[in-house]
Each structure stands twice: as C-alpha cells, then as structure tokens.
Amino acid sequence: MSLYESIAAFQPFNEQEATDKEVILHALKSDPHCLDRSAQAHMTCSIWTVDAAMKQTLMVYHNVYDSWSWIGGHADGEHDLAAVALRELEEETGVANAHLVPCGPEGIFSLEVLTVDGHEKRGAYVGSHLHLNVTYLAIADPKEPLRIKPDENNAVAWMPLTEAIERSSEPWIRDRIYRKLIDKLAAF
C-alpha cells in the first residue's frame, strides 16, 4: 500500500485528524516535492513510544523547541515513514529494540499538521513551515540504555503519560496532540 493509500484509508479519531488528513492527502497528491524538506509543507513522522503497560512514554528535551517532546524526523524523500520513525527513535534516544504496534493502515496511529516557527538550526536560519506528520505507536523496554543526540536534544527520559503533558512547554502540542495520543491509547 502506498503512503497516499495508507493515509486515505486511515480512520480519524477526531476533527483535528479528519481536517489534517485532507491537508496531507492534498499535499501528497499535488506537490511532488512534499516528501522533501525543501517544500513549504513537507512530510515528517513521529513515534509515540510507550512501555508495554502503556503507562509511560519516552520523551526527549528538544533543542529547537526548548521543550520536552516526542521523537520524530523528516521523510527526506523516503516513502516508508514507519522505517524513518524507528530510525529516528534509535538515533535520538539509543532505543534500538522497539516494535511498532499495528494500529491503522500500515501502522499509522495518528495524523497531524504541525506549524513550525522560523528558527536557527546548526547555525543557519530555517524559515517557518508545516510538518505534515504521520505518527506511529511503538513499544519499548524502559530498561534499554538511553543516550542523547546532542545536535537535537539534551535529555532523554521515560515519564508517566500525564507528566509528558505537564512537562511540555508547547501549549497546542501539549493540549491538542499529546492529550489526543493519550486518549487514543486509552481507547486502544
């Protein structure tokens, strides 16, 4: 199944996902560059990583956002966003033995369109843009060794689900996205 077909088959959990699904599908259909970060709106993926009991989540302290954050990255031309998400998990945290939970089509757990304000990264200015984000759900062992990725984060930690909300300094992400992901886990 193609990325477009997987997202088209995804059943939204709420109005935000339904709206964002249409935006993502439109970009995939109309912009041949949306898998590359050169596009104003481009594909990214996140991986909401929990322990087997689904009581804790793995978060990083993200340098650009100056906040505790989920793990993720850019598609950079790749269509297999699940593979990208797992690679990002290992690169950003050191966790190498996580497994994806089969949720929706091709493992899609959630969809989001995320605004990114202009910022400095590695000494260069990055203009404001949109992340057309596909989120995957993974289970990992909290006993697995963790490490930071200094150019992206300065801390990695497991924390109770509600603490992930409390420790985020990004109101929209905290209240609309992390809360939604936790609600989806409860319904899972």
Side-chain angles (χ1 to χ4, degrees):
M1 187 178 291
S2 72
L3 180 59
Y4 183 92
E5 291 167 331
S6 299
I7 292 170
F10 176 79
Q11 295 299 310
F13 178 74
N14 60 17
E15 185 178 11
Q16 171 267 309
E17 285 189 349
T19 300
D20 291 355
K21 173 183 172 178
E22 295 308 314
V23 171
I24 294 169
L25 288 173
H26 176 74
L28 284 168
K29 190 173 186 177
S30 63
D31 184 356
H33 302 290
C34 75
L35 285 166
D36 299 311
R37 63 176 91 192
S38 61
Q40 183 74 28
H42 52 263
M43 296 302 299
T44 60
C45 59
S46 296
I47 189 161
W48 187 247
T49 307
V50 297
D51 64 343
M54 297 187 180
K55 300 290 183 196
Q56 298 181 81
T57 188
L58 183 61
M59 303 287 278
V60 297
Y61 197 88
H62 200 283
N63 294 341
V64 169
Y65 301 121
D66 195 23
S67 178
W68 283 98
S69 178
W70 54 2
I71 295 112
H74 291 86
D76 288 334
E78 292 191 44
H79 291 261
D80 186 351
L81 294 183
V84 173
L86 286 168
R87 184 176 65 241
E88 291 289 335
L89 176 62
E90 184 172 359
E91 287 176 2
E92 293 184 25
T93 70
V95 171
N97 297 307
H99 66 274
L100 293 179
V101 177
C103 302
E106 301 297 312
I108 296 173
F109 184 56
S110 181
L111 296 174
E112 300 84 23
V113 173
L114 307 170
T115 58
V116 180
D117 291 336
H119 58 276
E120 297 281 334
K121 186 165 185 176
R122 297 181 184 108
Y125 182 75
V126 177
S128 298
H129 56 276
L130 292 177
H131 284 174
L132 308 173
N133 197 65
V134 177
T135 300
Y136 298 90
L137 177 63
I139 293 179
D141 185 349
K143 294 177 185 161
E144 195 166 339
L146 302 176
R147 64 168 165 67
I148 65 169
K149 186 172 189 268
D151 65 327
E152 292 198 23
N153 63 62
N154 60 47
V156 179
W158 285 95
M159 59 188 71
L161 296 173
T162 55
E163 191 174 322
I165 292 173
E166 294 163 7
R167 293 177 77 177
S168 172
S169 61
E170 300 175 276
W172 190 84
I173 295 284
R174 178 185 64 223
D175 300 337
R176 296 297 298 238
I177 304 302
Y178 297 162
R179 168 58 53 206
K180 173 191 72 172
L181 296 174
I182 291 169
D183 290 347
K184 287 182 87 163
L185 274 180
F188 192 63

